[in-house]
Amino acid sequence: MSETSFTPRVFSGIQPTGNLHLGNYLGALKRFVDWQAMDAETIYCMVDLHAITVWQNPTDLQKSTRELCAGFIAAGLDPEKSILINQSQVPEHAQLAWVFNCVARMGWMQRMTQFKDKAGKNAQNASLGLFAYPALMAADILVYHATHVPVGEDQKQHLELARDIATKFNHDYGVDFFPITEPVIEGAGTRVMSLRDGTKKMSKSDVSDASRINLTDDADTIAKKIRKAKTDPDALPSEVEGLSDRAEAKNLVNIYAGLNNQSVEDVLVDVGGKQFSEFKPMLVELAVSKMSPITTEMARLMEHQDEIDKILARGAERARAITAPILRQTYDIIGMVPPAPF
Ligand code: AMP
Ligand code: TRP
């Protein structure tokens, strides 16, 4: 089946679980804004149904969802250009996910490393939703016939599963209906690491707040965290190969490159030979200049929650104009009787 038979359409999502951080920004949000600037139809989602696969306090979930929407807009997403939605307000996501639960195989799900990581040792006690998580993610994407999905590297396996689900559905029903989605995992920021340990991913759930830069951190906090970030005693190399055994140095250079829209090679041309005592203040200045305006705008938007709620309601309405017909066609393909007009 050819991907070109579908209009290019970009979809991605982020979980509203608090602590939006620099990894989310460079790996996802910033890329969302880049796609919006290109000639693409862009749909971005706060995936609250994914969030509840692990326990969420209801009050916090509401706040985090609105805060994530504020973060989307503050980072440069324009609700007129991009469709911004809250997953639970577009019911077709969950409806298609059920169909995909019946397409995906147990064995496929059991191979998912994120499930194994999140479920930990006591997998019997994990929610059924956590196990089915990637089928809902496939539905998020395919209920729009999205063709491109910008994400960080940790989502690669889930996107491959979405392709497997689309392929099996098309094959089982003998149709050419769901597109085979392209993962878009590129640039310096696809895997931002912890500031305390360059071998661990920067994560919302890390107990150490010093390990990440949150989008809600003020300039002083950002500066403090970068100054304290783990490094090694050597000067920076001038070639990329010189970073290969230096996880922390590599991470800070990657972050610099991501924030400054440069390649790592180009950054090293400028900073090769410098000590961290010289490089860190450069990184502080860059990070503060790029992130502080976002933080300030997010805080301002959070004071207008009614506007955020209206943006989400409008987004859901626009989204459903796309998702309702695709779900109906799916139901027709699998043999669900359509409701007759009275
Ligand atoms: P999540 O916060 O898990 O919903 O992730 C939202 C998006 O941010 C996904 O596209 C992730 O791949 C991306 N992401 C999360 N953590 C990182 C990280 N440390 N580096 C790069 N991208 C990340
Ligand atoms: N699973 C993704 C994450 O945790 C979030 C997500 C849900 C998503 N549905 C999606 C990302 C669809 C891209 C496309 O990061």
Side-chain angles (χ1 to χ4, degrees), residues 86-142:
N86 185 21
Q87 193 183 28
S88 60
Q89 290 185 29
V90 184
E92 290 78 12
H93 289 236
Q95 289 175 288
L96 185 62
W98 180 260
V99 175
F100 286 172
N101 282 343
C102 303
V103 174
R105 306 289 93 184
M106 293 287 284
W108 299 0
M109 304 314 238
Q110 272 157 354
R111 283 196 289 275
M112 295 294 114
T113 55
Q114 184 172 297
F115 174 75
K116 289 188 228 170
D117 291 347
K118 282 198 180 176
K121 289 201 181 74
N122 197 359
Q124 291 302 310
N125 202 35
S127 72
L128 188 55
L130 189 66
F131 191 64
Y133 180 114
L136 175 59
M137 181 161 162
D140 293 339
I141 298 164
L142 294 170

Side-chain angles (χ1 to χ4, degrees), residues 33 52 83 122 297 312 325:
V33 180
I52 61 161
I83 299 181
N122 197 359
E297 180 62 3
L312 291 175

